[in-house]
């Protein structure tokens, strides 16, 4: 028996945020909200001509601005779900 086993051992029930569907949805909603906020704060940096991460942030910000009522509703519902479950 190793003495440091309990300090580094994680139970089998914990999953990555990408493997748990609820956590995955929270990450997607958080990314959309964050990219929309970044586009408002840094409009010259977040443009459609960029490639890579900046293009992904641009696409997330377009989703956030066009579907703003639905994204805010999802944020509210996911916040309640995280608090209760």
């Amino acid at each position: 028996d190793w003495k440091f086993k309990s300090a580094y051992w994680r139970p089998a029930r914990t999953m990555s945020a990408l493997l748990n569907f609820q956590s995955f949805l929270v990450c997607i909603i958080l990314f959309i909200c964050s990219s929309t906020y970044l586009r408002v704060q840094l409009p010259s940096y977040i443009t459609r001509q960029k490639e890579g991460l900046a293009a992904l942030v641009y696409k997330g910000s377009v989703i956030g601005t066009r579907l703003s009522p639905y994204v805010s509703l999802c944020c509210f519902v996911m916040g309640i779900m995280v608090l209760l479950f």
Side-chain angles (χ1 to χ4, degrees), residues 11-85:
R13 288 189 226 164
T14 61
M15 288 192 246
S16 167
L18 300 177
L19 297 177
N20 187 355
F21 187 68
Q22 181 180 357
S23 298
F24 179 70
L25 288 179
V26 169
C27 290
I28 295 294
I29 295 295
L30 190 63
F31 174 75
I32 290 171
C33 294
S34 300
S35 60
T36 305
Y37 177 76
L38 282 175
R39 185 174 180 199
V40 170
Q41 296 298 321
L42 305 168
S44 62
Y45 182 71
I46 311 292
T47 61
R48 72 174 72 183
Q49 285 84 15
K50 301 280 185 175
E51 292 182 1
L53 182 64
L56 193 63
V57 171
Y58 173 75
K59 290 175 185 177
S61 67
V62 169
I63 291 171
T65 54
R66 291 186 182 169
L67 300 175
S68 180
Y70 300 113
V71 170
S72 64
L73 180 67
C74 287
C75 284
F76 182 74
V77 169
M78 291 306 290
I80 297 296
M81 299 249 332
V82 166
L83 287 175
L84 294 180
F85 300 107

